[in-house]
Amino acid sequence: MRLLVLLWGCLVLPGYEALEGPKEISGFEGDTVSLRCTYREELRDHRKYWCRKGGILFSRCSGTIYAGKEGQETTEGRVSIHDSRQELSLIVTLWNLTLQDAGKYWCGVEKRGPDESLLISLFVFPDVLEGDFHRLGTR
């Protein structure tokens, strides 16, 4: 019984997470957003990645981008990631957001067994203000 209580405590105590970061980020169409996923020391030398949440059974991710070596930024399309091992953090930047970018993403670290990962929801709002300015200018 004590073992069960100890294990339960490890799972729910704050600060035990292997990865920490925002659960949600948001921006408007055309904006740039950045986020930081921090990880524990023992994950420093493991490969980090960012991907869109994929299917249920076989494909957990789609469009996976892997971090380069220390100090190198990896860019694919409108997304860049950088593994700052000195700061124990993975920095992800998405620019020129579109409504299609909205969804759920994984900030992850590969390791033996299941990867350590953090699910992050990205919300993208229409840039209605810009459209209003265009309409005002045509009156």
Side-chain angles (χ1 to χ4, degrees):
M1 182 63 162
R2 286 183 186 172
L3 180 61
L4 179 61
V5 172
L6 179 61
L7 288 175
W8 180 82
C10 289
L11 294 174
V12 298
L13 289 176
Y16 186 74
E17 300 286 325
L19 281 172
E20 294 182 351
K23 303 288 189 240
E24 299 177 348
I25 56 173
S26 62
F28 287 93
E29 283 180 286
D31 280 354
T32 296
V33 294
S34 289
L35 63 104
R36 179 181 302 261
C37 296
T38 58
Y39 50 85
R40 294 190 313 232
E41 172 71 33
E42 61 266 21
L43 298 173
R44 176 190 303 265
D45 296 325
H46 292 254
R47 192 156 87 155
K48 293 22 163 247
Y49 61 90
W50 173 259
C51 65
R52 187 171 195 131
K53 185 177 177 192
I56 296 170
L57 295 177
F58 299 108
S59 177
R60 177 183 167 153
C61 282
S62 65
T64 304
I65 303 170
Y66 292 96
K69 297 182 186 211
E70 171 64 28
Q72 291 181 335
E73 186 173 285
T74 302
T75 302
E76 288 190 24
R78 297 176 291 107
V79 180
S80 68
I81 64 173
H82 175 252
D83 181 12
S84 177
R85 293 179 182 177
Q86 186 174 0
E87 297 177 6
L88 300 176
S89 61
L90 180 69
I91 297 117
V92 180
T93 303
L94 301 93
W95 62 89
N96 196 20
L97 290 176
T98 67
L99 294 175
Q100 290 74 31
D101 293 328
K104 294 183 186 262
Y105 292 83
W106 292 109
C107 185
V109 180
E110 289 184 341
K111 65 178 194 65
R112 286 187 195 189
D115 290 354
E116 296 290 352
S117 57
L118 176 68
L119 187 61
I120 300 170
S121 296
L122 170 63
F123 298 96
V124 180
F125 304 106
D127 190 2
V128 294
L129 210 50
E130 185 176 307
D132 289 344
F133 283 131
H134 288 286
R135 283 191 288 266
L136 289 173
T138 59
R139 287 186 182 182

PDB file of all heavy atoms in Angstrom, residues 94-113:
ATOM      1  N   LEU A  94       7.021  29.768 -34.367  1.00  0.00           N
ATOM      2  CA  LEU A  94       6.176  29.611 -35.546  1.00  0.00           C
ATOM      3  C   LEU A  94       5.849  31.013 -36.042  1.00  0.00           C
ATOM      4  O   LEU A  94       5.388  31.850 -35.266  1.00  0.00           O
ATOM      5  CB  LEU A  94       4.872  28.882 -35.201  1.00  0.00           C
ATOM      6  CG  LEU A  94       4.997  27.491 -34.611  1.00  0.00           C
ATOM      7  CD1 LEU A  94       4.996  27.542 -33.106  1.00  0.00           C
ATOM      8  CD2 LEU A  94       3.865  26.626 -35.101  1.00  0.00           C
ATOM      9  N   TRP A  95       6.094  31.277 -37.314  1.00  0.00           N
ATOM     10  CA  TRP A  95       5.814  32.626 -37.805  1.00  0.00           C
ATOM     11  C   TRP A  95       4.823  32.602 -38.955  1.00  0.00           C
ATOM     12  O   TRP A  95       4.562  31.563 -39.547  1.00  0.00           O
ATOM     13  CB  TRP A  95       7.096  33.374 -38.160  1.00  0.00           C
ATOM     14  CG  TRP A  95       7.935  32.787 -39.244  1.00  0.00           C
ATOM     15  CD1 TRP A  95       7.831  33.031 -40.584  1.00  0.00           C
ATOM     16  CD2 TRP A  95       9.003  31.860 -39.095  1.00  0.00           C
ATOM     17  NE1 TRP A  95       8.767  32.316 -41.266  1.00  0.00           N
ATOM     18  CE2 TRP A  95       9.507  31.600 -40.391  1.00  0.00           C
ATOM     19  CE3 TRP A  95       9.595  31.231 -38.008  1.00  0.00           C
ATOM     20  CZ2 TRP A  95      10.568  30.725 -40.612  1.00  0.00           C
ATOM     21  CZ3 TRP A  95      10.642  30.362 -38.236  1.00  0.00           C
ATOM     22  CH2 TRP A  95      11.114  30.123 -39.507  1.00  0.00           C
ATOM     23  N   ASN A  96       4.260  33.781 -39.209  1.00  0.00           N
ATOM     24  CA  ASN A  96       3.228  33.974 -40.238  1.00  0.00           C
ATOM     25  C   ASN A  96       2.106  32.951 -40.054  1.00  0.00           C
ATOM     26  O   ASN A  96       1.761  32.212 -40.973  1.00  0.00           O
ATOM     27  CB  ASN A  96       3.841  33.896 -41.641  1.00  0.00           C
ATOM     28  CG  ASN A  96       2.912  34.458 -42.682  1.00  0.00           C
ATOM     29  OD1 ASN A  96       1.992  35.222 -42.380  1.00  0.00           O
ATOM     30  ND2 ASN A  96       3.125  34.081 -43.931  1.00  0.00           N
ATOM     31  N   LEU A  97       1.531  32.923 -38.843  1.00  0.00           N
ATOM     32  CA  LEU A  97       0.479  31.960 -38.518  1.00  0.00           C
ATOM     33  C   LEU A  97      -0.691  32.025 -39.488  1.00  0.00           C
ATOM     34  O   LEU A  97      -1.070  33.103 -39.949  1.00  0.00           O
ATOM     35  CB  LEU A  97      -0.053  32.220 -37.104  1.00  0.00           C
ATOM     36  CG  LEU A  97       0.863  31.912 -35.941  1.00  0.00           C
ATOM     37  CD1 LEU A  97       0.201  32.339 -34.628  1.00  0.00           C
ATOM     38  CD2 LEU A  97       1.243  30.451 -35.893  1.00  0.00           C
ATOM     39  N   THR A  98      -1.260  30.859 -39.765  1.00  0.00           N
ATOM     40  CA  THR A  98      -2.487  30.771 -40.554  1.00  0.00           C
ATOM     41  C   THR A  98      -3.531  30.048 -39.702  1.00  0.00           C
ATOM     42  O   THR A  98      -3.192  29.381 -38.715  1.00  0.00           O
ATOM     43  CB  THR A  98      -2.270  29.964 -41.852  1.00  0.00           C
ATOM     44  OG1 THR A  98      -2.002  28.598 -41.514  1.00  0.00           O
ATOM     45  CG2 THR A  98      -1.114  30.537 -42.676  1.00  0.00           C
ATOM     46  N   LEU A  99      -4.780  30.170 -40.094  1.00  0.00           N
ATOM     47  CA  LEU A  99      -5.848  29.482 -39.359  1.00  0.00           C
ATOM     48  C   LEU A  99      -5.637  27.969 -39.380  1.00  0.00           C
ATOM     49  O   LEU A  99      -5.983  27.268 -38.436  1.00  0.00           O
ATOM     50  CB  LEU A  99      -7.217  29.832 -39.944  1.00  0.00           C
ATOM     51  CG  LEU A  99      -7.654  31.289 -39.787  1.00  0.00           C
ATOM     52  CD1 LEU A  99      -8.978  31.529 -40.505  1.00  0.00           C
ATOM     53  CD2 LEU A  99      -7.767  31.669 -38.315  1.00  0.00           C
ATOM     54  N   GLN A 100      -5.003  27.447 -40.446  1.00  0.00           N
ATOM     55  CA  GLN A 100      -4.758  26.020 -40.563  1.00  0.00           C
ATOM     56  C   GLN A 100      -3.694  25.528 -39.572  1.00  0.00           C
ATOM     57  O   GLN A 100      -3.588  24.333 -39.317  1.00  0.00           O
ATOM     58  CB  GLN A 100      -4.326  25.656 -41.992  1.00  0.00           C
ATOM     59  CG  GLN A 100      -5.440  25.785 -43.019  1.00  0.00           C
ATOM     60  CD  GLN A 100      -5.769  27.247 -43.358  1.00  0.00           C
ATOM     61  OE1 GLN A 100      -4.898  28.112 -43.318  1.00  0.00           O
ATOM     62  NE2 GLN A 100      -7.020  27.504 -43.684  1.00  0.00           N
ATOM     63  N   ASP A 101      -2.915  26.432 -39.008  1.00  0.00           N
ATOM     64  CA  ASP A 101      -1.904  26.044 -38.020  1.00  0.00           C
ATOM     65  C   ASP A 101      -2.520  25.668 -36.674  1.00  0.00           C
ATOM     66  O   ASP A 101      -1.880  24.990 -35.868  1.00  0.00           O
ATOM     67  CB  ASP A 101      -0.897  27.177 -37.783  1.00  0.00           C
ATOM     68  CG  ASP A 101      -0.036  27.454 -39.000  1.00  0.00           C
ATOM     69  OD1 ASP A 101       0.251  26.509 -39.764  1.00  0.00           O
ATOM     70  OD2 ASP A 101       0.348  28.623 -39.190  1.00  0.00           O
ATOM     71  N   ALA A 102      -3.740  26.105 -36.430  1.00  0.00           N
ATOM     72  CA  ALA A 102      -4.389  25.810 -35.150  1.00  0.00           C
ATOM     73  C   ALA A 102      -4.486  24.302 -34.952  1.00  0.00           C
ATOM     74  O   ALA A 102      -4.747  23.555 -35.896  1.00  0.00           O
ATOM     75  CB  ALA A 102      -5.776  26.441 -35.105  1.00  0.00           C
ATOM     76  N   GLY A 103      -4.229  23.861 -33.730  1.00  0.00           N
ATOM     77  CA  GLY A 103      -4.318  22.437 -33.436  1.00  0.00           C
ATOM     78  C   GLY A 103      -3.468  22.072 -32.237  1.00  0.00           C
ATOM     79  O   GLY A 103      -3.016  22.931 -31.478  1.00  0.00           O
ATOM     80  N   LYS A 104      -3.231  20.784 -32.091  1.00  0.00           N
ATOM     81  CA  LYS A 104      -2.445  20.281 -30.957  1.00  0.00           C
ATOM     82  C   LYS A 104      -1.079  19.811 -31.459  1.00  0.00           C
ATOM     83  O   LYS A 104      -0.984  19.186 -32.517  1.00  0.00           O
ATOM     84  CB  LYS A 104      -3.180  19.144 -30.265  1.00  0.00           C
ATOM     85  CG  LYS A 104      -4.468  19.626 -29.618  1.00  0.00           C
ATOM     86  CD  LYS A 104      -5.161  18.506 -28.870  1.00  0.00           C
ATOM     87  CE  LYS A 104      -6.503  18.973 -28.371  1.00  0.00           C
ATOM     88  NZ  LYS A 104      -6.499  19.385 -27.005  1.00  0.00           N
ATOM     89  N   TYR A 105      -0.061  20.124 -30.659  1.00  0.00           N
ATOM     90  CA  TYR A 105       1.320  19.812 -31.023  1.00  0.00           C
ATOM     91  C   TYR A 105       2.025  19.143 -29.853  1.00  0.00           C
ATOM     92  O   TYR A 105       1.684  19.374 -28.698  1.00  0.00           O
ATOM     93  CB  TYR A 105       2.070  21.097 -31.395  1.00  0.00           C
ATOM     94  CG  TYR A 105       1.579  21.730 -32.669  1.00  0.00           C
ATOM     95  CD1 TYR A 105       0.458  22.557 -32.673  1.00  0.00           C
ATOM     96  CD2 TYR A 105       2.225  21.501 -33.882  1.00  0.00           C
ATOM     97  CE1 TYR A 105       0.006  23.138 -33.839  1.00  0.00           C
ATOM     98  CE2 TYR A 105       1.779  22.080 -35.053  1.00  0.00           C
ATOM     99  CZ  TYR A 105       0.662  22.902 -35.031  1.00  0.00           C
ATOM    100  OH  TYR A 105       0.214  23.467 -36.195  1.00  0.00           O
ATOM    101  N   TRP A 106       3.041  18.343 -30.177  1.00  0.00           N
ATOM    102  CA  TRP A 106       3.878  17.717 -29.169  1.00  0.00           C
ATOM    103  C   TRP A 106       5.239  18.389 -29.135  1.00  0.00           C
ATOM    104  O   TRP A 106       5.876  18.557 -30.161  1.00  0.00           O
ATOM    105  CB  TRP A 106       4.108  16.233 -29.479  1.00  0.00           C
ATOM    106  CG  TRP A 106       2.910  15.355 -29.370  1.00  0.00           C
ATOM    107  CD1 TRP A 106       2.231  14.771 -30.401  1.00  0.00           C
ATOM    108  CD2 TRP A 106       2.271  14.918 -28.174  1.00  0.00           C
ATOM    109  NE1 TRP A 106       1.192  14.014 -29.907  1.00  0.00           N
ATOM    110  CE2 TRP A 106       1.200  14.083 -28.542  1.00  0.00           C
ATOM    111  CE3 TRP A 106       2.498  15.153 -26.812  1.00  0.00           C
ATOM    112  CZ2 TRP A 106       0.356  13.477 -27.621  1.00  0.00           C
ATOM    113  CZ3 TRP A 106       1.660  14.561 -25.889  1.00  0.00           C
ATOM    114  CH2 TRP A 106       0.601  13.730 -26.293  1.00  0.00           C
ATOM    115  N   CYS A 107       5.662  18.737 -27.958  1.00  0.00           N
ATOM    116  CA  CYS A 107       7.042  19.111 -27.686  1.00  0.00           C
ATOM    117  C   CYS A 107       7.610  17.851 -27.056  1.00  0.00           C
ATOM    118  O   CYS A 107       7.101  17.402 -26.025  1.00  0.00           O
ATOM    119  CB  CYS A 107       7.053  20.294 -26.712  1.00  0.00           C
ATOM    120  SG  CYS A 107       8.657  20.972 -26.381  1.00  0.00           S
ATOM    121  N   GLY A 108       8.617  17.215 -27.692  1.00  0.00           N
ATOM    122  CA  GLY A 108       9.006  15.907 -27.213  1.00  0.00           C
ATOM    123  C   GLY A 108      10.503  15.667 -27.127  1.00  0.00           C
ATOM    124  O   GLY A 108      11.300  16.374 -27.740  1.00  0.00           O
ATOM    125  N   VAL A 109      10.836  14.639 -26.346  1.00  0.00           N
ATOM    126  CA  VAL A 109      12.219  14.186 -26.184  1.00  0.00           C
ATOM    127  C   VAL A 109      12.217  12.676 -26.371  1.00  0.00           C
ATOM    128  O   VAL A 109      11.487  11.964 -25.683  1.00  0.00           O
ATOM    129  CB  VAL A 109      12.778  14.541 -24.787  1.00  0.00           C
ATOM    130  CG1 VAL A 109      14.213  14.051 -24.646  1.00  0.00           C
ATOM    131  CG2 VAL A 109      12.692  16.027 -24.508  1.00  0.00           C
ATOM    132  N   GLU A 110      13.040  12.203 -27.325  1.00  0.00           N
ATOM    133  CA  GLU A 110      13.145  10.765 -27.539  1.00  0.00           C
ATOM    134  C   GLU A 110      13.962  10.130 -26.422  1.00  0.00           C
ATOM    135  O   GLU A 110      14.941  10.704 -25.949  1.00  0.00           O
ATOM    136  CB  GLU A 110      13.831  10.474 -28.872  1.00  0.00           C
ATOM    137  CG  GLU A 110      12.988  10.803 -30.063  1.00  0.00           C
ATOM    138  CD  GLU A 110      13.656  10.410 -31.363  1.00  0.00           C
ATOM    139  OE1 GLU A 110      14.897  10.220 -31.391  1.00  0.00           O
ATOM    140  OE2 GLU A 110      12.937  10.314 -32.367  1.00  0.00           O
ATOM    141  N   LYS A 111      13.533   8.944 -26.006  1.00  0.00           N
ATOM    142  CA  LYS A 111      14.288   8.172 -25.023  1.00  0.00           C
ATOM    143  C   LYS A 111      13.839   6.720 -25.119  1.00  0.00           C
ATOM    144  O   LYS A 111      12.885   6.414 -25.826  1.00  0.00           O
ATOM    145  CB  LYS A 111      14.091   8.725 -23.608  1.00  0.00           C
ATOM    146  CG  LYS A 111      12.690   8.611 -23.054  1.00  0.00           C
ATOM    147  CD  LYS A 111      12.644   9.146 -21.644  1.00  0.00           C
ATOM    148  CE  LYS A 111      11.403   8.774 -20.920  1.00  0.00           C
ATOM    149  NZ  LYS A 111      11.211   7.356 -20.650  1.00  0.00           N
ATOM    150  N   ARG A 112      14.543   5.836 -24.433  1.00  0.00           N
ATOM    151  CA  ARG A 112      14.117   4.433 -24.418  1.00  0.00           C
ATOM    152  C   ARG A 112      12.744   4.342 -23.797  1.00  0.00           C
ATOM    153  O   ARG A 112      12.449   5.041 -22.830  1.00  0.00           O
ATOM    154  CB  ARG A 112      15.083   3.593 -23.612  1.00  0.00           C
ATOM    155  CG  ARG A 112      16.372   3.355 -24.315  1.00  0.00           C
ATOM    156  CD  ARG A 112      17.197   2.378 -23.545  1.00  0.00           C
ATOM    157  NE  ARG A 112      18.557   2.455 -24.049  1.00  0.00           N
ATOM    158  CZ  ARG A 112      19.495   1.637 -23.720  1.00  0.00           C
ATOM    159  NH1 ARG A 112      19.255   0.684 -22.844  1.00  0.00           N
ATOM    160  NH2 ARG A 112      20.699   1.770 -24.213  1.00  0.00           N
ATOM    161  N   GLY A 113      11.927   3.486 -24.356  1.00  0.00           N
ATOM    162  CA  GLY A 113      10.547   3.417 -23.884  1.00  0.00           C
ATOM    163  C   GLY A 113       9.761   4.572 -24.473  1.00  0.00           C
ATOM    164  O   GLY A 113      10.167   5.172 -25.461  1.00  0.00           O
TER     165      GLY A 113
END
